[in-house]
Amino acid sequence: MTTTRTALVTGGSRGIGAAISQALTAAGYKVAATYAGNDEKANAFKTETGIPVFKWDVSSYEACKDGIARVEAEIGPIDVLVNNAGITRDAMFHRMTPDMWNEVIDTNLTGLFNMTHPIWSGMRERKFGRVINISSINGQKGQMGQANYSAAKAGDIGFTKALAQEGAKAGITVNAICPGYIGTDMVMAVPEKVREGIIAQIPVGRLGEPEEIARCVVFLASDDASFITGSTISANGGQFVA
């Protein structure tokens, strides 16, 4: 990387997103992290890492457009976009409400459009860009109780494949990463017996680490990955082989 590039990571102050933000910073990028609601944890992350944080809801196009403009004014044009923000509203389908469906689709799928669209023209003009979408193993194989989440994450993969074809001639690559079960605070908070049951389904015999997903992002963002676009990286310890 001959010049310092700017990276924007949605949901970038906690869990996998925090690891991505820190790994990109360590690799020499200027990084901005977005968050949706937890001011206390976001500010603690900023204090600990020095990475600036910006608050907005990725399910709102106008909020994304305004937030991106703030980031670019303060830090610089965005060269690397990591669409990591996501939520769950789990329920068996017969108990799933329209709100539970819409909230997940709006954040986890429409959020990719809302974030990528305002940045796309600038990437095209500069003839360089990296869009990295964090999907999920459950977008590949489906998951009981997650019809909304699985649908959104599968949609992320389709979005990736289509947009990659549009960006290729403009020097923009678009790729997806599908993490399996990662040892985030959320996963570690589940009862130990449940966690053991999850690990029993993973051939490598352990949960993934957030830093392992972050290293995939750093590679895809780099010049070394310029011939890789429209791809899906499965980082799941062999739990699902697509």
Side-chain angles (χ1 to χ4, degrees):
M1 194 167 60
T2 54
T3 59
T4 301
R5 290 174 179 154
T6 299
L8 178 59
V9 183
T10 68
S13 65
R14 298 176 65 184
I16 291 172
I20 292 169
S21 295
Q22 291 173 277
L24 286 169
T25 299
Y29 294 84
K30 295 183 292 184
V31 177
T34 80
Y35 71 103
N38 195 320
D39 295 325
E40 183 180 350
K41 290 201 173 182
N43 288 326
F45 174 79
K46 179 181 178 180
T47 299
E48 180 185 342
T49 65
I51 296 170
V53 295
F54 297 80
K55 183 179 182 179
W56 73 78
D57 179 0
V58 299
S59 72
S60 164
Y61 185 85
E62 289 303 317
C64 291
K65 187 177 177 182
D66 293 345
I68 288 164
R70 292 202 311 273
V71 171
E72 294 196 323
E74 292 184 28
I75 301 177
I78 295 164
D79 303 296
V80 177
L81 171 64
V82 184
N83 285 311
N84 169 74
I87 62 171
T88 56
R89 298 288 185 268
D90 295 352
M92 297 300 284
F93 188 67
H94 64 283
R95 293 177 178 168
M96 188 173 288
T97 65
D99 283 347
M100 294 168 78
W101 174 270
N102 290 326
E103 286 173 16
V104 170
I105 297 297
D106 289 350
T107 296
N108 297 10
L109 179 55
T110 306
L112 270 64
F113 174 86
N114 294 344
M115 285 298 305
T116 309
H117 192 260
I119 292 171
W120 192 251
S121 292
M123 287 182 171
R124 281 168 49 85
E125 289 168 8
R126 295 188 298 273
K127 300 296 181 185
F128 179 87
R130 298 285 187 266
V131 179
I132 302 163
N133 300 316
I134 308 301
S135 179
S136 168
I137 185 175
N138 292 341
Q140 296 175 298
K141 72 175 186 61
Q143 179 61 42
M144 249 174 64
Q146 287 195 327
N148 49 5
Y149 185 85
S150 296
K153 291 300 188 177
D156 292 348
I157 296 171
F159 175 84
T160 297
K161 291 179 178 180
L163 200 59
Q165 295 176 55
E166 295 189 28
K169 289 187 177 179
I172 306 167
T173 67
V174 187
N175 292 288
I177 300 170
C178 288
Y181 284 91
I182 307 299
T184 59
D185 290 344
M186 182 176 68
V187 172
M188 298 308 291
V190 304
E192 186 174 352
K193 284 189 176 181
V194 175
R195 197 162 63 248
E196 287 173 355
I198 292 170
I199 292 170
Q201 300 173 40
I202 303 172
V204 301
R206 64 173 178 86
L207 299 171
E209 296 294 334
E211 292 76 14
E212 292 177 301
I213 305 305
R215 287 194 288 272
C216 294
V217 171
V218 172
F219 170 65
L220 289 174
S222 72
D223 290 336
D224 290 338
S226 62
F227 198 59
I228 300 172
T229 193
S231 293
T232 302
I233 294 179
S234 297
N236 61 37
Q239 186 176 0
F240 179 77
V241 181

